[in-house]
Amino acid sequence: MKVSGRISLVLACLLVCFTLWQLPARVVGVLLPERLMLSALSGSFWSGTAARSAWLLDDGALVLGRVRWHLSPLSLVSLRPKVLMSLEWGGQQLNGVFRRNLSGNIVVKDFHAEFDSGLIRQMVPLYIGGRVVADFSEILIASDQLQSLDGKVLWQDAVWAAAAGDVPLGDYQLRLSGQDSNVQGRVTTLSGGLVVAGDLEVTENNYEIDLDLSGPATANAELARALQLIAAPTATGFDMVINGRL
């Protein structure tokens, strides 16, 4: 009886594993946030593809493109789901390893993203251009709040989109690090006519940005007028101090 019972248990486990392995990709939709929409799914629950995806905004949708994912079955055994994910749409791409631990926190490893800065204009009305590249070795999110991160963001071939034509600005790096909901950032200029240097700090729901802007680009009349709306003129350029709540 004991042997028979063990055999039945093993067969039941194998049946459950086989059933789970055969789950179609569309089952993933049940686990996603309401604002994330996937369509034209193929593959399985464990390793699949969505030909199209979008994040629904209050006044439209942010197109994310083609999504691929791979969920590690062994990670479910330890109750720490681990997903390798990548998104691609034209020159826009994102990939990383996403894990949810027992406390409910989300840990993102080896995060990399590239996109045109025009994507930012869909969320914030900034008249800018260029390409953004982000690389983070780790990001920790707990209770929908950013807890810690370590990495950098590059803004390449940055331009200010003016009525008379784009104004070249340069290339910039934002180095970010922090823990316990306190994030520190340092902005440096790699090249270009607008020299930007300074710091930013995010503490829980508060943020402060303190930047010094100088260089020959500040002599451009349209750019100078735009900067005067958010920064104070100085002898060498502008001083930008912005703070508020997220």
Side-chain angles (χ1 to χ4, degrees):
M1 293 293 291
K2 291 184 178 179
V3 174
S4 177
R6 289 177 181 174
I7 293 176
S8 298
L9 180 60
V10 170
L11 290 175
C13 290
L14 289 175
L15 178 60
V16 170
C17 291
F18 178 78
T19 302
L20 290 176
W21 191 257
Q22 296 300 312
L23 286 175
R26 64 176 180 272
V27 177
V28 171
V30 179
L31 306 176
L32 297 177
E34 291 184 0
R35 286 180 176 266
L36 181 57
M37 304 297 294
L38 302 181
S39 59
L41 287 90
S42 60
S44 70
F45 174 79
W46 306 100
S47 184
T49 301
R52 295 177 295 278
S53 66
W55 185 266
L56 300 181
L57 304 173
D58 292 337
D59 56 352
L62 177 62
V63 178
L64 301 176
R66 184 181 184 88
V67 180
R68 295 183 177 90
W69 73 86
H70 177 75
L71 173 61
S72 169
L74 292 178
S75 69
L76 294 183
V77 176
S78 61
L79 301 180
R80 295 180 175 89
K82 177 182 176 182
V83 182
L84 284 73
M85 183 182 298
S86 65
L87 293 84
E88 185 176 354
W89 183 47
Q92 175 182 310
Q93 58 178 286
L94 179 154
N95 54 72
V97 180
F98 300 77
R99 180 189 289 274
R100 188 179 184 91
N101 57 32
L102 291 174
S103 61
N105 298 340
I106 297 175
V107 181
V108 184
K109 295 276 191 180
D110 302 326
F111 178 85
H112 175 81
E114 295 186 33
F115 55 90
D116 187 277
S117 57
L119 182 68
I120 300 175
R121 291 200 296 269
Q122 296 187 39
M123 297 171 284
V124 182
L126 296 176
Y127 300 100
I128 57 175
R131 186 159 186 81
V132 177
V133 179
D135 284 291
F136 290 89
S137 58
E138 181 174 288
I139 303 172
L140 173 62
I141 301 172
S143 301
D144 296 328
Q145 296 288 330
L146 179 63
Q147 295 295 309
S148 65
L149 78 169
D150 183 40
K152 64 182 179 180
V153 179
L154 300 178
W155 186 14
Q156 302 172 332
D157 301 322
V159 299
W160 178 265
D166 291 348
V167 180
L169 302 179
D171 299 303
Y172 308 94
Q173 175 180 281
L174 171 60
R175 186 72 175 84
L176 291 166
S177 62
Q179 57 185 357
D180 299 327
S181 302
N182 191 334
V183 176
Q184 305 287 333
R186 179 67 179 174
V187 179
T188 56
T189 300
L190 304 178
S191 64
L194 180 66
V195 180
V196 183
D199 304 280
L200 67 84
E201 181 177 12
V202 179
T203 304
E204 295 183 350
N205 293 324
N206 300 307
Y207 71 91
E208 181 172 325
I209 303 172
D210 188 351
L211 301 176
D212 177 74
L213 300 92
S214 60
T218 59
N220 181 279
E222 285 199 67
L223 178 60
R225 282 196 296 269
L227 289 175
Q228 287 176 11
L229 299 176
I230 55 175
T234 65
T236 58
F238 293 88
D239 183 23
M240 180 189 299
V241 179
I242 302 174
N243 52 58
R245 292 184 61 83
L246 296 173

